[in-house]
Amino acid sequence: MPQKRASRQCVITGNWKMHKTIPEAESFVRTLTPLIESSQAKVCLAIPYTALSSLSELCKILKSFLILGAQNMHAMEEGAFTGEISGQMLIDAGAKFVLLGHSERRKLFHEDSSMIHQKVKQALINGLQPVVCVGESQEEHAQGKRKIILEEQIQDSLGGLSADEIVKIHLAYEPVWAIGTGKTATPQEAQAAHSFCRQVIESQWNKEVAQALVIQYGGSVNESNSAKLLEMSDIDGLLVGGASLSPISFSKIVNSVNL
Ligand code: PGA
């Protein structure tokens, strides 16, 4: 078992994006739960808002240790924001965490790091764990700008938070060029990026916080590449999109933690 596992828990998160009705979500959880019984990982699912209440009830009935979360939230406590959802509403529906700053939110819905910063603060106020996504685009990758982008996104999304707040957050390194493309970063490439993120956290806060921070990798993770990624000392978990839609593939990824 690599050293990191002793100090940082391994977290596997499925991100369903805009997939699954309530019956489909329930059927997924019923199939998945017995398949991951002996997993050593913390297993999380970022699911559609509509399925949160019913899945949290179902998890109680099945005595499942799955942790449920959402894929976005609004930065304000409440108000005239038609179509939006608040942190308190997510807690109310059974969410324990929320993905913030996913590249699809940044790109398709024009969310910038300062907006993400406000959302992180609001999530923490509500007792939701923010999972903050960072990562460079294809163009930035080609221009060798990965470090600049990561530093900028971490600084702008998390700057000003206290060390006590940072330890409540998870980071997800998701190179945009690897999301949904089948082009995973190599374990070495992802390790280098994670190690760099940890350095940025150490320089902005302190070593203890940087060492405690869980950093998940996301971008075309599947059952064939998950074990190799998890062997890397700074990769503490995985954020899985497409391959989290099937309980069989997702269970194989979850169980690759035990290999
Ligand atoms: P993918 O998505 O696994 O389908 O590449 C990952 C993500 O968007 O979180």
Side-chain angles (χ1 to χ4, degrees), residues 1-7 230-233 257 259:
M1 196 55 66
Q3 177 61 37
K4 60 170 177 171
R5 301 279 160 77
S7 53
L230 289 169
E231 274 174 19
M232 299 291 121
S233 61
V257 173
L259 297 177

Side-chain angles (χ1 to χ4, degrees), residues 15 17 102 104 174 178-180 219-221 239-242:
N15 173 14
K17 309 192 181 187
H102 188 280
E104 285 150 20
E174 294 209 302
I179 295 178
S220 295
V221 172
L239 181 50
V240 188

Side-chain angles (χ1 to χ4, degrees), residues 73 98 100 118-128 130:
M73 61 173 265
V98 59
L100 294 175
Q118 295 307 317
K119 293 186 180 200
V120 170
K121 288 207 294 198
Q122 190 59 237
L124 289 169
I125 289 170
N126 284 286
L128 276 168

